[in-house]
Amino acid sequence: AAPAVERLVILLGDEGRLAAWPGPVTPIVATHAARALARIGKPAVPALIREIENVDSPVRRQALRVVGAMGHSARDAMPVLLKTLHDESSTELRQLAFFAMTSVAPEDDRTTNAFDKLLKDAWPRMRGSAARAIGTRVPARREAVPKLIGLLGDRAGYEMAVADFVVLQAVRCDAAEALGRIGAEADDA
């Protein structure tokens, strides 16, 4: 699978390495390459880790998405996901790393600790992302209820792309939605 993996990674959208290839890489081609890498699973993880570690990689974002789509088979990527999560240079990369962690190792203590940290993050988008993920992805949600209740008082907002629109989303809305998804468990906390 190694020769295919390297070429599929390039097809995620690395225009520099594609210069010698015929034809453009369209979003559809990149989507199919991402799906193929996710299906290949564990053998593709080292190549994706290299792309995530390379701060100049044009496919870094896509590599994070693919790792997240792989789920448990990408557990070897946890160290690079944690490193990316703590990289303050890009909120988007941090958010992608966080969502990948919730898919790759939702019950891992490192993921749980990341939730705790992100619920207090300086960036409203990260606080909101953590709240949304707790409502949908984290097995130990009950313990998060008091923190989510605290976020109901968070008045910060952030822009979020929805389809072709940009909407203003409030952190407190994310917390309320998470509490609603947790449901009856929230009453017991």
Side-chain angles (χ1 to χ4, degrees), residues 33-107:
R35 286 181 186 157
L37 287 164
R39 286 185 189 122
I40 290 170
K42 192 171 177 111
V45 172
L48 293 166
I49 288 172
R50 281 193 301 278
E51 295 300 324
I52 295 168
E53 288 176 331
N54 178 359
V55 295
D56 297 322
S57 173
V59 297
R60 197 172 182 205
R61 286 170 176 77
Q62 293 85 341
L64 284 162
R65 287 184 183 103
V66 172
V67 165
M70 287 179 172
H72 294 289
S73 65
R75 284 188 70 88
D76 292 346
M78 277 299 284
V80 74
L81 294 176
L82 282 164
K83 183 178 178 186
T84 306
L85 180 68
H86 298 298
D87 179 358
E88 299 289 330
S89 66
S90 170
T91 304
E92 181 186 7
L93 290 173
R94 291 178 66 217
Q95 189 174 25
L96 289 170
F98 172 67
F99 280 122
M101 287 172 62
T102 64
S103 175
V104 170
E107 296 179 16

Side-chain angles (χ1 to χ4, degrees), residues 57 126 147 156 168:
S57 173
M126 294 305 294
K147 295 170 188 160
L168 186 62

